[in-house]
Amino acid sequence: MFPSFTTVTVVTDTLEDTGVVAEVNAWLEENWDPELTVAEWWERLGTSGWAAPTLPEGSYGKGLSRGDAVLVQQAIAEHGALGAPGGLGLLLAAPTIATHGTPEQVEEYVRPIVTGQRAWCQLFSEPGAGSDLAGLQAKAEQDGEEWIVNGQKVWTSGGQVADMGMLIARTNPNVPKHQGITYFAIDMHQPGIDIRPLKEMTGRAMFNEVFLTDARVADDAMIGGKNNGWAVANTTLMFERAGLGSGGGSAAASAATPGTVAGDLDKRAGDFVGSRRSGGGGGFGGMSTMLIELAKGNKTINDPTIRQGLMKLHSFAEIGRFNNLRVKAAKEQGKEIPGMGNISKLSMSEMMRMQRDLGLRIVGASGMLHAYDSKERPAIDAATSNPFLGIVTELALFAQGPPIYGGTDQVQRNIIGERVLGLPKEPNNDRTVNFADMPKNT
Ligand SMILES: Cc1cc2nc3c(=O)[nH]c(=O)nc-3n(C[C@H](O)[C@H](O)[C@H](O)COP(=O)(O)OP(=O)(O)OC[C@H]3O[C@@H](n4cnc5c(N)ncnc54)[C@H](O)[C@@H]3O)c2cc1C
């Protein structure tokens, strides 16, 4: 799960409306009704293809480009309607299953995602397998028409509220490590799954450790075929990078929550409109504007180093905008720019760090005051007379996350070096030696 700070908004003035806005507006005119429950509204939005318009037609999408999807999202918000159900289901599981799943699996898993009925988590990382994800040790053993899963996952964002998990597990240790992995859609509500929250420095407990002890998953919940999980997982990671780097993460910022555990399904849809969660929606543009206003307010704008920092942030945002234009132009010619997803993700992480450092410098000593609990917020706001302080301190605490998740900065650079620039790989034998015979991370 990506908290609201990762809702990196695409710089929309580069987006050209190809007629899609009129189409979605006409649909909204006929269909939006604030009196519907969230579940009823998401049923309409999801089955129409407007909840996840980048998914292919026939898989609850409309086959639109990411740029068009951003325009759709904006049109929904401007109409005053509730946006699509957010979270890792829509961001990662749905496009992965639409790419590798069977039509039956699309029906079984994608439909409840786009209609907000089920929330998902990503069961990839393990205590000994993060950057070296293919070194994972959770194993799944076949038992008739089911698989029995044993192992431990960690850093599972939103695991405590998930209905389903994207699980990768080792199904054959007697082949090189990338070849013996299978991707499953596992039901999180079962006795074999024990979820233990981990408290973060932000004060929240978004992460979890997940212990799988004889957990069961059906054979037909295997996505993309037996021992083909590495390719499927890479599809998920590709959508993760693309989403984080270029704004798809904003799909994760709907005001209402999907799923059966913490979902808002029975509530009135109209009550969520115009109530985007704190920190969300503004993206880098919104954050920069806020920092400029804060700096003007307390006169730090006159400090040349602060001005320089703000200018650097603006320049990064502009470079991001130019890159969006380059990607768009290349796409129109049927080409792509190699490594752009990795570059966008690196850039997003760098901008978060810049915002963290600049924000703390602008607010000065009051940056040491943070409301770990929303009930503490009013007292701090009153003491500092700065209602935006919480956004600055929250970002400062969270900014360490983006350079790690979705592949660390170092891993992004390795990918660019090896796969884009063609530099020699680090010597290793993990593509030739069977996983069972390799030394293990403990
Ligand atoms: C906010 C957040 C949310 C997350 N959500 C999820 C989730 O929902 N599901 C999930 O499965 N995981 C999740 N993760 C976990 C995340 O994917 C891992 O933390 C990440 O892949 C790094 O793995 P690691 O923590 O094991 O670090 P390691 O892989 O142990 O890395 C430690 C350090 O070594 C460096 N390093 C490692 N290998 C290399 C190399 N080959 N070359 C150069 N440097 C290297 C890394 O860059 C890093 O600095 C989340 C993480 C964060 C911070």
Side-chain angles (χ1 to χ4, degrees):
M1 176 86 58
F2 314 111
S4 44
F5 280 122
T6 60
T7 60
V8 185
T9 308
V10 164
V11 184
T12 46
D13 55 7
T14 65
L15 300 175
E16 193 184 310
D17 180 12
T18 49
V20 75
V21 170
E23 205 187 324
V24 70
N25 275 334
W27 184 86
L28 286 164
E29 208 55 59
E30 285 211 348
N31 287 280
W32 165 243
D33 176 358
E35 297 308 322
L36 294 174
T37 63
V38 169
E40 288 165 341
W41 166 240
W42 277 345
E43 174 73 18
R44 284 190 191 179
L45 191 70
T47 53
S48 68
W50 290 119
T54 52
L55 292 180
E57 286 186 68
S59 296
Y60 294 99
K62 290 188 172 288
L64 295 188
S65 68
R66 193 173 285 278
D68 276 349
V70 172
L71 292 175
V72 168
Q73 220 175 321
Q74 277 183 339
I76 294 174
E78 276 162 23
H79 193 87
L82 175 64
L88 296 192
L90 205 78
L91 195 64
L92 306 181
T96 303
I97 296 168
T99 305
H100 296 278
T102 62
E104 292 74 26
Q105 289 176 329
V106 168
E107 203 50 35
E108 171 77 22
Y109 303 118
V110 177
R111 190 183 201 287
I113 292 173
V114 296
T115 56
Q117 291 292 324
R118 284 195 210 141
W120 283 65
C121 65
Q122 184 186 22
L123 298 164
F124 280 20
S125 304
E126 297 183 4
S131 301
D132 177 24
L133 187 57
L136 62 89
Q137 298 191 49
K139 61 178 181 188
E141 292 165 302
Q142 200 153 16
D143 178 31
E145 294 189 348
E146 284 189 327
W147 293 79
I148 301 177
V149 190
N150 282 287
Q152 187 197 338
K153 297 289 174 178
V154 72
W155 316 129
T156 314
S157 311
Q160 74 277 44
V161 293
D163 299 295
M164 299 293 299
M166 293 162 258
L167 169 72
I168 47 176
R170 190 155 304 281
T171 40
N172 184 1
N174 299 313
V175 286
K177 66 181 181 182
H178 299 89
Q179 296 173 24
I181 294 170
T182 301
Y183 195 115
F184 297 97
I186 192 167
D187 186 346
M188 296 296 287
H189 305 305
Q190 56 170 306
I193 298 189
D194 179 17
I195 303 163
R196 302 186 197 163
L198 294 166
K199 197 156 182 179
E200 303 144 41
M201 64 196 276
T202 57
R204 286 189 296 265
M206 176 188 79
F207 288 141
N208 300 271
E209 295 179 293
V210 176
F211 295 86
L212 301 126
T213 310
D214 292 336
R216 290 189 168 262
V217 60
D219 206 36
D220 60 16
M222 197 157 60
I223 310 293
K226 188 164 144 186
N227 295 325
N228 190 35
W230 187 243
V232 186
N234 269 295
T235 300
T236 304
L237 295 174
M238 189 264 289
F239 283 113
E240 186 168 3
R241 271 196 300 271
L244 295 177
S246 69
S250 50
S254 173
T257 304
T260 64
V261 182
D264 295 308
L265 299 175
D266 295 335
K267 299 183 183 151
R268 181 180 171 273
D271 290 344
F272 291 90
V273 176
S275 66
R276 280 191 148 231
R277 294 203 167 120
S278 62
F284 286 122
M287 192 69 190
S288 298
T289 308
M290 191 197 74
L291 290 179
I292 292 169
E293 290 310 314
L294 279 176
K296 280 184 185 163
N298 70 4
K299 308 275 188 281
T300 49
I301 195 82
N302 298 323
D303 175 336
T305 61
I306 299 260
R307 296 171 76 88
Q308 221 163 34
L310 288 166
M311 195 56 217
K312 191 172 168 195
L313 194 58
H314 174 73
S315 305
F316 258 72
E318 280 296 282
I319 292 167
R321 187 166 74 85
F322 295 151
N323 278 337
N324 277 342
L325 288 170
R326 287 175 60 212
V327 169
K328 193 169 175 239
K331 267 216 173 107
E332 278 165 9
Q333 295 169 23
K335 295 184 194 152
E336 48 180 81
I337 303 175
M340 194 46 92
N342 309 88
I343 292 168
S344 300
K345 208 220 146 206
L346 276 169
S347 170
M348 186 269 284
S349 300
E350 180 60 21
M351 289 173 80
M352 295 279 286
R353 282 189 290 260
M354 281 188 224
Q355 290 175 340
R356 172 196 64 194
D357 298 346
L358 252 182
L360 289 178
R361 287 184 58 213
I362 291 169
V363 299
S366 28
M368 287 186 280
L369 300 172
H370 181 67
Y372 289 96
D373 182 326
S374 57
K375 289 190 212 108
E376 297 165 2
R377 186 75 264 149
I380 295 184
D381 287 352
T384 60
S385 310
N386 180 358
F388 299 108
L389 180 65
I391 299 177
V392 173
T393 55
E394 180 92 25
L395 183 130
L397 290 170
F398 183 71
Q400 287 57 244
I404 300 174
Y405 60 67
T408 66
D409 281 4
Q410 290 78 5
V411 166
Q412 304 302 329
R413 291 194 174 97
N414 281 354
I415 295 173
I416 294 170
E418 292 171 7
R419 297 190 207 156
V420 182
L421 303 177
L423 299 177
K425 285 186 171 221
E426 300 240 353
N428 74 51
N429 56 3
D430 65 2
R431 296 206 177 245
T432 48
V433 175
N434 290 347
F435 180 74
D437 303 325
M438 299 276 291
K440 306 287 181 302
N441 297 324
T442 50

